[in-house]
Structures are given as structure tokens and as C-alpha cells.
Amino acid sequence: MKFNLPGQIRDLAGFKSDGFLTTSFYLDTDKSRQTKKEIAVSFKNLFTEGRTRLGALDLSKAKKDSLLQDMDKIGRFGAQSLSAWNAAGLAIFACAGQRFWQELALPRAPRNHIVFDRSLYVRPLTSMLDEYRHICAFLLDRQEARWYEVFTREISLLDSLKSEVPSRVREGGWQGYESKRIERHIDAHLHDHFKKASQKTFDLFKRNQFDWLFIGCKEEYRSDFEPLLHPYLKERLKGWLKTDSNSTEDKILKQALELERKLKAEEEAALAQSLVSELEKGGRAVSGLKEVLRKLNTWEVQTLVLTRLFAAAGKTCPKCHYLYIDEVRCPVCQVKTENVQDIVHESVHAALDKKIQVRYVTPPSKLDRYGKIGAFLKYKT
Ligand SMILES: [Zn+2]
């Protein structure tokens, strides 16, 4: 299954293992940087590491058997399907005890790792999805218009339009009455074509809800076309593409991705800056793992802001599921806490459960000086 929807993360995050443990397996399968043989070796190494770690886990027989079956199935996948895997990344989520198995084709390479845990390890997916925006790349020409969807580094044609706009004729001289009349006639046709195109853009927006709109057209059309756009679309218009009549999909995609990267970097810098400003004026924000976990536990977080790849060991309470860095006993329930490999991942899960927005910032950033993690709060502290 291709990974491209936030709903997929919510489904995986919501998966209940009911007393079993789950296996999450991530592999970098990017063939632009490594050979098939190297990928096969990485797979084998990761698989062996998983088996070794599993052997050392102190678990009930039922739990261990379920994980062993997961590993067997992953091993079979490696032998049978890995060489034909075309995506840049592979994620496998399994829980044999619950008859659960899902393979995901990832748009970019993840870090190789395997996690055995009560919940499926979805954090790399949330981080990955946060890198992309739903983009509509719209190409407007004299007689034609084409709309493409660009998402997770892929491009696909959404729709196209062809109008009858006569080509410019200048018979009878530039000054001639006849020529002026023809020009006006052509302008009216062109204006109609633009109006149809802007209406269709809005229809496509209503259906596809893209975040950003990029337009490619002749410079001289910009000032005629832009005012025709619906206000919602003007808000989303984030850039102009350089195109000519024979722009290939590849060329459009390349430009759109460059623009996306640039806008995304600006967006992340602005996000980090607004968090820092809020912190400095003592407003509705906290920073640092300890404070963020405390606010997550008490449902006060509005948006969680994380540095990509930031991880830390921690503890959770099996009873109230509160998250801690080092409490041996839950101060609320007085129950002994359990160790978790990555408390930052647990915080993402808690955020998804509570329908809290999770945003990422790529290091280095202003967030580095604030413990690499922060949160906007619902209320002032
Ligand atoms: Zn507790």
C-alpha cells in the first residue's frame, strides 16, 4: 500500500494490540543511493538485530510467539518481495497475535530500525508526511489549461481544458479598424478561457483541498488571470512555475518540488520563530521535554513542535498512560512506571490520540536551544 494519507497514520496509531506486542520494521530501500545487494544486506542486518533483541526480551510465551511469527513473516517478505520493491522506503507493521500485517511504500528513505512495542511505531510516518503539502500545479496557456496534483514527490494529471481562442492576426495593419476589432474579439475569447480555467481551478480545489497552488503561465497573463481567482485560491497561491508549451511532467515536478522545499523551509523557520517569540514573552508555550510531557499529560497542548529525529528514553504509567522522563512511580497512581525506548514517540502517539497537531522542524533550528521540543498551549501557563 502506498503511504500518502494522514488517515493511514491515525489508523495505525489507533491499532490495539490487546495484550500482544507489535513489530514495526523500517528499511531504507532507496535505489538511487544503493544497490539491490546493499539493500538486501541492510535487510538481513536489521532482521538479525531484531531476532537477537527479541531473544533477549523477557516476555510471556504468547507475546513472544506472536513477535517470532512477525519476524518469520518479515523474513519471508525479504526473501520473496524485497528485490521487486520500488519505493524509496519500506515500512512493515505486524502483530501476528491480532492477525495484523501491513506493508507501506514510503516516498522517502527512513532510518533503518525495528521496534517492538505495545503500539505501532508511527513517528517516522508523521514526520515524513509533515514534509509534504498537497500541491496543485496549474499550467495555463492561450488555449489550453492543465492541472496536476503534486504530492509526496509524485505528479499526476488532475484535469485539462481546451478552449477555442483564435490566434492573433494582424492583417490590415496595427492601426487599422479591422485589426482592432479582431484584437478585441480575441481578448474576449482569452478572457472567457481564463474565467473557465479559474472556475475549474476552484472546482478542483473543492474536490481535492490542496494546500498550495503553483501557476505556470506567460508573464503577460499573470495580471489578467490572478484577479479572476477565488479568494481561497489567492491565499493558496504560493508560487509561479516557469513553463513553455512543451513542459514535460518531469520538468513541472522538478520545479514544484524545488518550490515546495523552499516554502517548507520558510514555514519551519517561521514556526520555530513564533514558538521562540511566544516562549520569550512568557505566552502560551512551553519548551523542553519535561515541561512538554507535563502539559501533554494534562491535555493543555494545542500544537506539539518537534525536531526531526529527536529521541529520548523515558517512562510511562501503565494505568493512566501519563508520560515521564524518569519517574519510577507514577505520582498520580502510585503504580510502577514502564520503560519506553523513545518517549518522544510516545508523545506523538499521545498527541494523535488527543487530536493535537504535530509539527516538525528540521535541525539545525532555533528550537535546538530550547531542548529540541516545544508546544503551543491552549491556555496561558
Ligand atoms: Zn499513572
Side-chain angles (χ1 to χ4, degrees):
M1 193 191 290
K2 212 153 84 178
F3 167 61
N4 54 17
L5 296 169
Q8 289 172 309
I9 300 178
R10 277 197 299 276
D11 289 350
L12 290 168
F15 173 76
K16 298 276 176 279
S17 55
D18 277 337
F20 291 101
L21 288 180
T22 66
T23 305
S24 305
F25 185 93
Y26 284 88
L27 190 74
D28 174 351
T29 51
D30 189 350
K31 292 199 185 78
S32 70
R33 286 184 292 102
Q34 38 181 359
T35 62
K36 274 191 180 186
K37 206 173 157 194
E38 284 166 335
I39 294 170
V41 171
S42 303
F43 179 94
K44 201 163 165 255
N45 290 342
L46 187 60
F47 181 81
T48 310
E49 183 208 316
R51 283 301 296 258
T52 311
R53 267 196 1 235
L54 182 50
L57 287 179
D58 183 21
L59 298 170
S60 71
K61 188 171 181 307
K63 276 185 184 172
K64 200 160 209 168
D65 280 352
S66 171
L67 291 178
L68 282 168
Q69 283 180 52
D70 290 346
M71 289 309 286
D72 285 350
K73 199 162 174 186
I74 289 171
R76 283 200 299 280
F77 177 90
Q80 289 162 6
S81 313
L82 186 65
S83 63
W85 191 257
N86 280 322
L90 163 70
I92 296 175
F93 302 100
C95 180
Q98 292 287 338
R99 298 173 189 278
F100 183 82
W101 173 267
Q102 193 171 103
E103 300 150 16
L104 281 185
L106 309 179
R108 59 176 295 156
R111 190 165 53 90
N112 292 340
H113 61 301
I114 180 163
V115 177
F116 304 114
D117 208 340
R118 275 172 313 166
S119 52
L120 297 169
Y121 191 69
V122 297
R123 189 175 154 210
L125 302 183
T126 62
S127 161
M128 216 173 269
L129 207 58
D130 184 72
E131 286 177 49
Y132 304 104
R133 289 291 174 271
H134 281 275
I135 295 163
C136 175
F138 170 49
L139 269 55
L140 179 66
D141 206 349
R142 236 185 112 64
Q143 304 201 42
E144 285 177 63
R146 273 177 292 155
W147 290 262
Y148 293 94
E149 180 180 55
V150 176
F151 186 57
T152 60
R153 296 183 178 194
E154 286 184 24
I155 187 165
S156 54
L157 186 69
L158 280 176
D159 213 331
S160 63
L161 172 75
K162 206 166 164 54
S163 309
E164 289 297 323
V165 179
S167 50
R168 285 179 194 276
V169 280
R170 298 235 164 108
E171 280 165 32
W174 179 243
Q175 310 277 328
Y177 168 79
E178 184 63 8
S179 151
K180 281 233 165 97
R181 197 183 61 78
I182 293 171
E183 285 292 318
R184 270 199 302 276
H185 175 66
I186 292 167
D187 283 349
H189 274 286
L190 196 59
H191 189 72
D192 272 357
H193 172 55
F194 284 2
K195 260 172 50 186
K196 264 191 257 168
S198 88
Q199 181 56 47
K200 204 175 195 65
T201 312
F202 189 54
D203 293 343
L204 287 169
F205 167 69
K206 282 189 281 185
R207 201 163 356 129
N208 297 280
Q209 293 291 321
F210 43 82
D211 305 304
W212 292 343
L213 173 66
F214 298 165
I215 302 179
C217 69
K218 275 191 191 163
E219 193 110 21
E220 63 195 87
Y221 293 163
R222 286 189 190 180
S223 54
D224 290 331
F225 183 72
E226 204 182 328
L228 298 175
L229 282 171
H230 189 281
Y232 290 174
L233 295 174
K234 281 183 192 156
E235 263 170 41
R236 284 166 173 80
L237 175 58
K238 295 283 180 182
W240 297 89
L241 305 168
K242 286 189 201 74
T243 52
D244 49 54
S245 51
N246 50 16
S247 286
T248 59
E249 285 194 1
D250 280 351
K251 277 192 203 161
I252 299 161
L253 178 63
K254 197 166 166 257
Q255 277 192 67
L257 293 182
E258 269 167 30
L259 251 180
E260 181 183 36
R261 237 189 328 269
K262 191 176 138 265
L263 289 165
K264 202 51 206 130
E266 287 169 10
E267 203 181 72
E268 287 187 3
L271 175 69
Q273 181 55 54
S274 82
L275 185 71
V276 168
S277 307
E278 199 65 25
L279 287 166
E280 281 171 354
K281 72 173 193 206
R284 294 190 302 176
V286 287
S287 67
L289 192 52
K290 193 164 187 168
E291 276 305 304
V292 170
L293 294 182
R294 199 202 307 260
K295 295 296 180 190
L296 263 178
N297 288 343
T298 50
W299 294 72
E300 286 173 76
V301 173
Q302 189 167 59
T303 304
L304 185 62
V305 185
L306 292 174
T307 299
R308 285 182 208 284
L309 304 180
F310 169 51
K315 298 188 183 277
T316 67
C317 170
K319 201 166 163 213
C320 68
H321 304 296
Y322 273 23
L323 311 176
Y324 302 107
I325 298 179
D326 47 17
E327 299 283 359
V328 181
R329 257 169 205 290
C330 174
V332 182
C333 321
Q334 299 303 319
V335 177
K336 196 167 172 287
T337 56
E338 292 173 351
N339 292 325
V340 288
Q341 269 184 49
D342 181 3
I343 196 74
V344 183
H345 167 243
E346 296 297 327
S347 77
V348 172
H349 259 280
L352 290 169
D353 283 348
K354 294 169 182 168
K355 307 234 184 307
I356 292 167
Q357 211 187 4
V358 183
R359 304 283 301 275
Y360 287 86
V361 170
T362 308
S365 80
K366 293 201 165 173
L367 202 54
D368 291 351
R369 284 192 295 125
Y370 291 85
K372 296 178 194 270
I373 183 168
F376 289 101
L377 304 177
K378 295 178 190 165
Y379 328 101
K380 206 168 178 306
T381 49

